[in-house]
Structures are given as C-alpha cells and as structure tokens.
Amino acid sequence: MKKALARHILSLPTISLFLIIGIGAGLRVWGLNFGLPYVYHVDEQVYVSAALNLGRGVIAQHAVSTFQNILFVEYILFYLIGHFIGWFSSLADFEALYRGDSTPFFLL
C-alpha cells in the first residue's frame, strides 16, 4: 500500500504539476516589486480607494465590483492582524500607513 502511494506521488503528472506550480509561484514572487511604490496601472488606485472607502461607509457607484469587496475583507484582516501584533493602535495609524506608504495595500 505504501509503495503504491509513493509510486503515485512520484508519477510524472504529479511531478509536472508541482514543477509548474513552483515556477508560477517563483515568477509571482519575483514580480511583486514591479513599480512599487508608484502605481503604473490606472485601475489599481480606483479599486484600492473604493475598498478603503467601504470602511467609511461610502459606496462608489462607478466602481462597484466583487473585487473591491474582496479587497475590503483583506484590509479588514490586515488591520485586525496588525492591531493584534501591535502595528496599529488605532484606525488613524492604519490610515497613516496608507497615506505614507501604500505599498502593503497594493501587495494585498
């Protein structure tokens, strides 16, 4: 039974799949710094601002999408984790990070 499982794990399709995933992850990590802290894609700023405005209760009619809702949830989790480990003592600190260096918001 163990030999059959080991043979299945080491099969060519499984190794190929892990190789493709590994190369894709490596390329993704390699390109994370593209253009930061500047924004070269016009739509990024629109979605990030719309997601952050949801926290203030402002719903942007021109950019209502599921993507901004996903970003909003990510930013909530980012704030809660940051608050828990001491990065943010208040929402003002969170806003100061966005206004000072918005790189983490674009990486999420």
Side-chain angles (χ1 to χ4, degrees), residues 54-108:
L54 284 174
R56 294 184 339 173
V58 177
I59 299 175
Q61 297 300 321
H62 65 280
V64 176
S65 72
T66 304
F67 184 61
Q68 80 180 25
N69 294 333
I70 292 170
L71 283 176
F72 179 61
V73 171
E74 288 178 4
Y75 295 153
I76 290 172
L77 293 174
F78 179 49
Y79 173 75
L80 291 175
I81 291 170
H83 185 72
F84 179 72
I85 60 177
W87 290 349
F88 313 116
S89 60
S90 67
L91 285 172
D93 290 342
F94 189 69
E95 181 181 1
L97 174 67
Y98 175 71
R99 297 199 186 283
D101 180 18
S102 59
T103 300
F105 295 90
F106 288 102
L107 288 177
L108 291 177

Side-chain angles (χ1 to χ4, degrees), residues 40-61:
Y40 292 117
H41 301 286
V42 179
D43 62 339
E44 289 179 350
Q45 185 66 39
V46 172
Y47 285 114
V48 169
S49 295
L52 290 171
N53 282 334
L54 284 174
R56 294 184 339 173
V58 177
I59 299 175
Q61 297 300 321

Side-chain angles (χ1 to χ4, degrees), residues 13-28:
T14 305
I15 292 172
S16 300
L17 176 65
F18 283 118
L19 184 65
I20 291 170
I21 290 172
I23 290 171
L27 289 172
R28 176 71 178 151

